[in-house]
Amino acid sequence: MQQPSAPPALTVVIYIAAFALVLFRMSRPQCISTARLWVAPTLLTFVGIWAIYTEQSLAPSPLWEIALASVLGIALGAPLGFIRGAHTPVEATKDPGVMVLGSALVPALIYVTAFGARLLLHLVFPLGSAIGAVVGDGILVFAVAFLAVSYFAIYRKYIALEK
């Protein structure tokens, strides 16, 4: 028996609402603790992993293709994330372990664009297509690597300010 699923229009509305919330929250400077700094990248990493896992459980691709796409995504996302993190305004506050983090609209847009590109690939190419699955997963890994490395660079900047 097939499980009932949400109507496609409702799914699109949920995605748009979630992406709008992410963009809104990350578009303004925030006062953030060093512990909370890791919440967004961790949560978005799990969302990315879950998206890849779900797709692979429906239409598996060869492991070497997923590994290659992941390595390429990391190789492209990590240096760009480091550059982005190095250019993000970070200010120390009077409270230990708390910083003011500048607008993070660029990483949020990259993450949302990666999910949008992945969705577009899945609409254009059939389920199980190597291009749709592997390239989409590579784009998602790129976005996750970009975000994680940029936050690591931001954390390093904060530690240098605190000394």
Side-chain angles (χ1 to χ4, degrees), residues 11-146:
T11 303
V12 170
V13 168
I14 290 170
Y15 277 139
I16 290 172
F19 290 149
L21 180 64
V22 167
L23 289 174
F24 175 75
R25 294 267 306 146
M26 295 182 85
S27 67
R28 303 194 259 144
Q30 307 178 44
C31 193
I32 188 169
S33 70
T34 54
R36 202 177 114 212
L37 179 70
W38 300 108
V39 171
T42 303
L43 183 62
L44 294 175
T45 298
F46 282 123
V47 168
I49 290 169
W50 180 254
I52 291 170
Y53 170 77
T54 302
E55 180 182 12
Q56 290 305 311
S57 65
L58 292 174
S61 297
L63 185 58
W64 72 269
E65 290 178 354
I66 299 299
L68 179 63
S70 297
V71 167
L72 288 174
I74 291 168
L76 294 172
L80 293 174
F82 184 76
I83 291 168
R84 189 267 168 195
H87 290 33
T88 299
V90 177
E91 299 173 24
T93 63
K94 292 181 265 178
D95 300 325
V98 177
M99 71 182 99
V100 176
L101 181 61
S103 170
L105 187 58
V106 171
L109 285 172
I110 286 176
Y111 198 80
V112 169
T113 302
F115 261 100
R118 187 172 188 266
L119 179 64
L120 184 63
L121 283 170
H122 289 154
L123 292 174
V124 172
F125 297 100
L127 185 64
S129 160
I131 293 175
V134 175
V135 173
D137 292 348
I139 291 170
L140 200 52
V141 170
F142 164 82
V144 168
F146 177 88

